[in-house]
Amino acid sequence: EALQSLNTLWTGAQALAAPADREFTFAASMTVAEHLAPTWIGRLHEVDPRIKTKLRVMNSREVIAAVNNRDVALGFVETPDVPPQLSSTTVWTDELVLIAPPGHPWATRREPVTLRELAATHLVEREAGSGTRAFLDERVGAARATPIVEFNSNSAICQSVSAGMGPAVLSRLAVEGSLRMGSFIQVPLHEGNLVRNLQAIWRGPAPSEGPAAML
């Protein structure tokens, strides 16, 4: 981990020294930005160290707006609700998991939780506009119980669940470390896994050259 951090620092230093004509900005939703984009940026800089990359971190709704308004040429989202005027391609398959504090009744029950139970339960949730929230609305139903609290941060949700505030549904990418540490419990779902596609989005034809095409 220390060596990886040094490599990231070195990559960032090289990027800052890049000429302005190789500057490239793209947008990504929270889970992609925190857990996937750093590796992608590192690989991009290995191919062309002159590229100076800027990442704008937003929720999926804001990424779609940025691409739609041509503020960025490329975006990455978690929501299934990609507007038809935008082009898209799946770049990653992600799994959402149900987590609960160790003292929660779901942490020790033997029967998996049903989606109907999940819909009726107040959860610690991402804010409206996030891809995680949109996916849950589509898969579990928009007429779900109101959230206990809303955060625009996966880390804040993990901390809240760990502190006993209540259960939550988040990407496995966002909870793996805390699960290994025993901060909370993964609760099985009766209907199986909540699998979603993470997508790259852009306007018009697919980028054919430059950093966007390389990424």
Side-chain angles (χ1 to χ4, degrees), residues 45-123:
H45 288 172
E46 287 176 4
V47 175
D48 189 345
R50 298 171 299 165
I51 298 174
K52 181 179 179 180
T53 306
K54 294 183 179 180
L55 171 60
R56 296 174 59 182
V57 183
M58 313 170 173
N59 65 32
S60 289
R61 180 188 293 170
E62 293 165 338
V63 173
I64 289 171
V67 173
N68 222 5
N69 296 333
R70 302 187 187 277
D71 295 333
V72 294
L74 187 65
F76 295 90
V77 296
E78 305 158 42
T79 179
D81 303 324
V82 176
Q85 70 268 25
L86 297 182
S87 303
S88 65
T89 187
T90 298
V91 296
W92 196 270
T93 300
D94 185 34
E95 178 192 7
L96 296 183
V97 296
L98 174 61
I99 57 175
H104 192 274
W106 284 356
T108 54
R109 65 179 276 174
R110 295 183 179 180
E111 294 297 322
V113 173
T114 67
L115 293 187
R116 179 174 294 182
E117 287 178 295
L118 191 61
T121 301
H122 302 284
L123 303 174

Side-chain angles (χ1 to χ4, degrees), residues 1 7 16 24 31 35 47 55 61 63 76 78 112 123 133 142-144 149-150 154 162 165 177 187 213 215:
E1 290 179 355
N7 184 58
L16 290 173
F24 169 54
T31 302
H35 302 284
V47 175
L55 171 60
R61 180 188 293 170
V63 173
F76 295 90
E78 305 158 42
L123 303 174
R133 181 78 166 262
R144 296 185 289 112
V149 64
E150 298 178 17
N154 292 335
S162 182
M165 188 173 289
V187 181
L215 185 59

Side-chain angles (χ1 to χ4, degrees), residues 2-214:
L3 290 173
Q4 182 60 45
S5 296
L6 286 170
N7 184 58
T8 301
L9 177 62
W10 173 242
T11 300
Q14 288 179 308
L16 290 173
D21 62 350
R22 299 299 290 173
E23 188 172 287
F24 169 54
T25 301
F26 70 98
S29 55
M30 185 69 65
T31 302
V32 175
E34 289 182 340
H35 302 284
L36 298 173
T39 300
W40 297 346
I41 293 171
R43 290 176 180 171
L44 181 64
H45 288 172
E46 287 176 4
V47 175
D48 189 345
R50 298 171 299 165
I51 298 174
K52 181 179 179 180
T53 306
K54 294 183 179 180
L55 171 60
R56 296 174 59 182
V57 183
M58 313 170 173
N59 65 32
S60 289
R61 180 188 293 170
E62 293 165 338
V63 173
I64 289 171
V67 173
N68 222 5
N69 296 333
R70 302 187 187 277
D71 295 333
V72 294
L74 187 65
F76 295 90
V77 296
E78 305 158 42
T79 179
D81 303 324
V82 176
Q85 70 268 25
L86 297 182
S87 303
S88 65
T89 187
T90 298
V91 296
W92 196 270
T93 300
D94 185 34
E95 178 192 7
L96 296 183
V97 296
L98 174 61
I99 57 175
H104 192 274
W106 284 356
T108 54
R109 65 179 276 174
R110 295 183 179 180
E111 294 297 322
V113 173
T114 67
L115 293 187
R116 179 174 294 182
E117 287 178 295
L118 191 61
T121 301
H122 302 284
L123 303 174
V124 180
E125 293 206 43
R126 286 290 307 276
E127 79 287 3
S130 77
T132 298
R133 181 78 166 262
F135 181 84
L136 278 178
D137 287 345
E138 180 185 76
R139 182 68 184 274
V140 182
R144 296 185 289 112
T146 56
I148 299 170
V149 64
E150 298 178 17
F151 292 109
N152 64 353
S153 162
N154 292 335
S155 297
I157 292 178
C158 287
Q159 291 293 332
S160 297
V161 175
S162 182
M165 188 173 289
V169 176
L170 280 181
S171 166
R172 182 175 292 281
L173 292 169
V175 303
E176 279 182 328
S178 296
L179 282 173
R180 285 196 297 268
M181 294 189 332
S183 301
F184 39 68
I185 307 296
Q186 180 180 343
V187 181
L189 287 166
H190 181 71
E191 286 81 359
N193 298 331
L194 299 174
V195 177
R196 62 178 179 174
N197 293 326
L198 307 184
Q199 301 179 83
I201 60 172
W202 63 90
R203 286 195 64 155
S208 59
E209 59 182 6
M214 293 166 64

